[in-house]
Amino acid sequence: MGQFNCLICFHEQHGPVYQVKEMMFGLAEAFPYVQCARCGTIQQLNPPADMAPYYPEGYYSLSGLSLSGLQVRWMKQFRFWLYQNTGFSLFKPIYGEWLKRLDAKRGDAIGDIGCGNGQLLYELYASGYRNLTGYDPFIDADLYPGTGLQIFKKSLFDIQGSFDVLMLHHAFEHMNSPDTAFAKVAALLNPSGRLLIRVPVSDGEAWTVFREDWVQLDAPRHYFIPSLAAMKILAQRHGLDLFHVDFDSTAFQFWGSRKYQQGQALYETKDRPQSAAKDTWQLERKARELNAVSKGDQAAFYFRKSQD
Ligand SMILES: [Zn+2]
């Protein structure tokens, strides 16, 4: 084995090698992953030079863009207004919490890096935001150029400009160099800019329990899975304050990993295994319990530029 360097803390020692199979599509090709002995980041040892084959046509249509009709759009706008102004959350949109913590205003320049089909940006547009830009290197082409919601076929390092708010929802771990990627993201923020990075984390109980079958390793698409400590290292190194962390794991960590344990591909069938469907409610509760003690398998990290 060649020289190992942790992608985040640059430490040279790692733990056991895990052979992790591509199981989203069930290709079953194995990729070695190790965990840094110092900061706990999990990383892939020899990632494929060409990742394109692992983002097959239809990768994003798996989550399909659902467009709002005028009425639905109006309702979303009202629902979001209600949540922002009263905290009323019976129909709390998932992004309400993110935007509130990010102090995202309607006119703010908001960027979603690794936005996929742009579903989230479309939701924000429907909620009245008008300065939205998305970037994703794996989409077919640019979308809606010249509007208040533009989506570009671009990778992080081709992005120019300055943003009030940047978000990476399960995109960061798809980048092969977290240190330079984090530096680039920090440089794209204006002096009062805020940043949200949602990623799987290696601190979760799921990694300890499921190991190479942990669904969020997502070999080989994930180059690395950071630990909480690793995210703190990156923030400090690149001049950002990590001001809040929310563990936001779901039942997916259990039913997805169980599928992999049973040798089933994630998208083999559209349905969850019969056994898992029955206890979804219990699994969601277990996920909430783990989140409460910082042991869920994913988290939302909120940063802002350091003022000193
Ligand atoms: Zn490390």
Side-chain angles (χ1 to χ4, degrees):
M1 195 180 306
Q3 174 77 41
F4 168 81
N5 273 111
C6 173
L7 290 169
I8 291 175
C9 81
F10 313 129
H11 190 59
E12 295 178 357
Q13 255 116 48
H14 62 73
V17 178
Y18 296 93
Q19 296 295 333
V20 185
K21 289 178 184 161
E22 196 296 320
M23 289 300 285
M24 181 181 271
F25 302 103
L27 306 178
E29 188 181 348
F31 302 88
Y33 280 73
V34 296
Q35 186 165 25
C36 170
R38 185 160 67 190
C39 78
T41 293
I42 299 167
Q43 76 184 57
Q44 197 178 160
L45 277 181
N46 305 299
D50 180 14
M51 277 291 182
Y54 304 101
Y55 293 84
E57 209 177 316
Y59 180 74
Y60 287 122
S61 66
L62 292 170
S63 58
L65 181 63
S66 49
L67 299 179
S68 297
L70 201 60
Q71 281 186 317
V72 179
R73 218 161 98 173
W74 180 87
M75 200 196 73
K76 278 180 175 165
Q77 218 158 335
F78 175 70
R79 187 179 69 176
F80 187 69
W81 176 88
L82 203 65
Y83 174 68
Q84 266 199 327
N85 290 280
T86 68
F88 179 74
S89 65
L90 182 57
F91 300 107
K92 177 173 148 184
I94 188 170
Y95 48 83
E97 177 73 21
W98 305 332
L99 297 175
K100 208 167 190 175
R101 286 218 181 270
L102 290 165
D103 190 25
K105 299 168 210 61
R106 295 286 162 93
D108 279 355
I110 299 177
D112 185 1
I113 298 170
C115 66
N117 63 21
Q119 177 77 51
L120 173 62
L121 291 172
Y122 188 83
E123 300 273 335
L124 298 192
Y125 190 84
S127 299
Y129 288 83
R130 286 297 180 271
N131 192 352
L132 303 164
T133 318
Y135 304 92
D136 198 294
F138 294 109
I139 57 172
D140 292 334
D142 295 350
L143 289 165
Y144 329 118
T147 68
L149 191 181
Q150 312 184 76
I151 298 177
F152 297 105
K153 180 178 170 64
K154 268 188 186 178
S155 70
L156 168 64
F157 295 97
D158 297 322
I159 302 174
Q160 287 167 339
S162 181
F163 297 83
D164 300 303
V165 172
L166 282 172
M167 303 186 287
L168 289 84
H169 296 272
H170 293 268
F172 188 44
E173 65 274 27
H174 293 255
M175 297 172 182
N176 65 3
S177 173
D179 186 57
T180 47
F182 197 95
K184 169 70 180 177
V185 171
L188 287 169
L189 287 174
N190 76 29
S192 62
R194 288 86 67 199
L195 166 66
L196 166 61
I197 298 183
R198 295 181 57 239
V199 274
V201 288
S202 61
D203 311 80
E205 191 180 281
W207 162 239
T208 314
V209 171
F210 295 107
R211 294 300 188 194
E212 53 267 70
D213 292 315
W214 176 33
V215 68
Q216 295 231 62
L217 287 173
D218 195 24
R221 285 165 293 272
H222 291 178
Y223 286 96
F224 70 99
I225 314 276
S227 61
L228 199 59
M231 296 302 278
K232 287 178 182 164
I233 290 170
L234 288 174
Q236 196 170 29
R237 191 184 288 152
H238 298 293
L240 299 189
D241 288 329
L242 175 58
F243 69 89
H244 188 77
V245 181
D246 262 332
F247 280 75
D248 60 356
S249 77
T250 68
F252 176 59
Q253 65 194 308
F254 308 113
W255 67 259
S257 302
R258 283 180 192 168
K259 276 196 111 172
Y260 287 11
Q261 274 182 329
Q262 293 159 14
Q264 296 175 37
L266 194 62
Y267 290 111
E268 199 168 50
T269 62
K270 285 206 165 166
D271 304 315
R272 301 170 184 192
Q274 213 57 30
S275 57
K278 271 186 284 180
D279 58 6
T280 295
W281 184 81
Q282 275 174 304
L283 295 180
E284 287 294 352
R285 193 177 67 178
K286 194 177 167 193
R288 280 198 301 276
E289 285 167 3
L290 288 175
N291 291 339
V293 294
S294 305
K295 285 288 170 188
D297 79 337
Q298 61 177 51
F301 294 87
Y302 294 86
F303 306 88
R304 60 182 156 231
K305 285 238 165 165
S306 300
Q307 295 306 309
D308 43 282

